[in-house]
Amino acid sequence: MKLLVTGGAGFIGSNFVHHTLATHPEWKPVVLDKLTYAGNLKNLEPALQQGRCEFVQLDICDRAVLDAVRGCDAVIHFAAESHVDRSIEDAAAFVRTNVDGTHNLIQACREAGVPRFLHVSTDEVYGSLGEEGEFTEESPLQPNSPYAATKAASDLLVLAYVRTHKFAAVVTRCSNNYGPYQFPEKFIPLMIAQAMAGERLPVYGKGSNVRDWIHVSDHCTALDAVLQRGREGEVYNIGGRCEKRNLEVAKLILATLGRSESLIQFVSDRKGHDLRYAINCEKLERELGWRPEIGFDQGLERTIAWYRENMPWLDDVRTGQYRDYFQKHYVQREKTFAP
Ligand code: NAD
Ligand code: DAU
């Protein structure tokens, strides 16, 4: 299967490429990524060096995506602006990439006759919960942040093309991921990086907001199942059945790293901060037999170990060096990387 992975140099996309190479060695992943600040080709080593994966640097808003999708058996669409705080500062790039870019990609896939499209979305499209209840696929879409609004718009576009044009697509909505290669602006890697450096951990408000955490490997196995067996036109929730308050997570990270809780610094709350997310993923479990397998304690420990063992990766990201990698290594060695 020739599989185009948009956003494959980002956190979840790169984990999905590694998952694919490990579990479906016969598949040929092609990563299409603009390489924004969130894209890092180091996430794809050694797959690129071994020629097991091809890379195309392209913006999903570019008309040239048509050439990239031609001949693909499936497209899995991760590319997006993904950080809520950035969308609160300025949402223009979110509207452009998440809405216009997704639309451009849909049009290209239709024109090229791509037989399968998986749109990777988020539980944030459902908005926020109070202390009780959970999101099902039937919950109304009530996005609160500009990021979530653009993701909801892209979901609706995909589903509208399914209804109107019989576009062969399926949509997933997942809860908060954590694991290797996550950019350290997101809560868990930021807390780990700060704790390792003995610096303050900025916790918004009182740290009482709740997120449903899932290890990225479990998200990847769910996406694999949906890509292969999900019913066309359907939405599948994906979650870890693992609700935690932010403060609890920060304390757990400090304890694992042997650091004092006095490093926690309560800072101004995020504007419009969603209180709680909780995902009901029974549909996916029932229809496709998927289950999350990595418990939070084990997953967090592994993740902390990964960041500890990959200090050069973290340093490169924090200093901005990772942005030179494409120029220094890929451009000169293009022939080696592209099989
Ligand atoms: P990320 O920010 O780590 O990666 C996004 C990738 O998309 C980067 O490699 C970036 O370079 C690329 N990209 C951005 N704009 C592009 C454009 N115009 N053209 C081509 N490539 C572009 O994001 P992530 O956390 O890996 O999330 C991936 C997807 O999963 C997103 O669609 C996000 O909404 C969704 N999601 C994320 C989570 C989570 O917890 N991180 C949970 C549920 C769903
Ligand atoms: O639910 C899925 C979503 O999870 C994805 O769609 C998004 O792409 C992803 O970024 C994530 O969104 P969140 O806003 O939930 O994740 P973030 O890591 O930014 O924040 C998690 C929680 O931690 C949230 O309640 C805000 C809080 N937080 C975050 C940061 C960056 C802090 O307290 N301090 C911080 O410095």
Side-chain angles (χ1 to χ4, degrees):
M1 160 145 103
K2 186 176 174 193
L3 174 68
L4 190 82
V5 184
T6 76
F11 162 48
I12 308 174
S14 60
N15 274 282
F16 188 77
V17 169
H18 295 305
H19 163 87
T20 296
L21 293 173
T23 51
H24 306 288
E26 72 286 8
W27 289 9
K28 291 193 178 67
V30 178
V31 168
L32 183 153
D33 200 296
K34 180 182 177 180
L35 295 183
T36 67
Y37 79 93
N40 184 348
L41 280 185
K42 285 201 163 183
N43 298 357
L44 293 170
E45 279 183 331
L48 286 173
Q49 286 170 336
Q50 293 169 354
R52 299 189 66 207
C53 150
E54 216 176 299
F55 175 72
V56 182
Q57 188 183 25
L58 198 61
D59 187 330
I60 54 165
C61 299
D62 195 315
R63 184 72 191 132
V65 292
L66 179 56
D67 298 328
V69 301
R70 271 192 216 288
C72 286
D73 299 299
V75 170
I76 179 161
H77 178 35
F78 294 96
E81 288 292 337
S82 70
H83 193 45
V84 172
D85 292 325
R86 287 180 188 256
S87 80
I88 293 168
E89 288 303 311
D90 181 358
F94 290 73
V95 176
R96 183 179 178 277
T97 286
N98 301 1
V99 185
D100 289 344
T102 300
H103 185 244
N104 188 48
L105 192 61
I106 295 169
Q107 292 287 46
C109 289
R110 287 184 58 225
E111 199 171 327
V114 173
R116 189 78 166 154
F117 185 91
L118 196 171
H119 178 63
V120 180
S121 191
T122 168
D123 60 357
E124 295 200 17
V125 298
Y126 297 122
S128 181
L129 293 164
E131 294 296 336
E132 299 291 321
E134 50 188 16
F135 300 128
T136 71
E137 289 82 358
E138 277 70 48
S139 298
L141 301 193
Q142 295 178 322
N144 291 318
S145 71
Y147 158 70
T150 59
K151 289 299 290 189
S154 64
D155 287 21
L156 292 175
L157 273 172
V158 171
L159 294 170
Y161 273 86
V162 170
R163 308 276 181 275
T164 310
H165 296 290
K166 302 206 177 344
F167 182 50
V170 59
V171 174
T172 57
R173 295 185 180 136
C174 188
S175 60
N176 285 64
N177 284 224
Y178 67 99
Y181 303 114
Q182 189 167 26
F183 198 84
E185 64 183 351
K186 303 280 165 61
F187 185 68
I188 286 188
L190 178 65
M191 297 297 123
I192 296 173
Q194 295 293 100
M196 286 198 304
E199 287 167 18
R200 299 228 171 249
L201 277 62
V203 172
Y204 296 164
K206 293 182 178 139
S208 53
N209 300 65
V210 175
R211 294 294 182 266
D212 171 7
W213 292 101
I214 181 170
H215 191 275
V216 66
S217 302
D218 279 330
H219 189 186
C220 290
T221 58
L223 291 171
D224 189 340
V226 175
L227 182 66
Q228 296 197 69
R229 294 179 286 120
R231 283 185 295 136
E232 214 166 285
E234 292 292 319
V235 174
Y236 292 91
N237 282 349
I238 305 171
R241 295 189 182 284
C242 174
E243 291 183 48
K244 301 272 177 215
R245 289 194 193 280
N246 294 338
L247 187 57
E248 185 189 347
V249 176
K251 284 182 177 174
L252 203 52
I253 290 169
L254 287 167
T256 309
L257 286 165
R259 296 282 188 176
S260 163
E261 287 184 8
S262 63
L263 284 178
I264 291 175
Q265 181 171 33
F266 293 101
V267 298
S268 309
D269 210 351
R270 174 183 278 175
K271 286 183 194 167
H273 197 171
D274 285 341
L275 178 67
R276 177 173 161 259
Y277 305 144
I279 270 275
N280 177 321
C281 50
E282 276 167 20
K283 177 175 173 181
L284 178 61
E285 293 175 343
R286 195 179 55 246
E287 285 191 19
L288 304 183
W290 172 87
R291 298 266 180 293
E293 283 182 355
I294 304 174
F296 189 69
D297 288 352
Q298 182 201 7
L300 188 65
E301 214 165 281
R302 271 203 227 167
T303 303
I304 292 172
W306 188 87
Y307 281 93
R308 269 179 140 161
E309 286 156 17
N310 288 276
M311 286 299 285
W313 181 92
L314 193 59
D315 288 343
D316 269 12
V317 171
R318 292 196 119 189
T319 58
Q321 290 242 343
Y322 72 108
R323 308 220 61 182
D324 301 336
Y325 183 79
F326 178 72
Q327 284 304 328
K328 274 197 195 136
H329 297 271
Y330 182 79
V331 172
Q332 289 143 26
R333 299 171 55 194
E334 197 164 6
K335 289 196 176 64
T336 322
F337 279 163

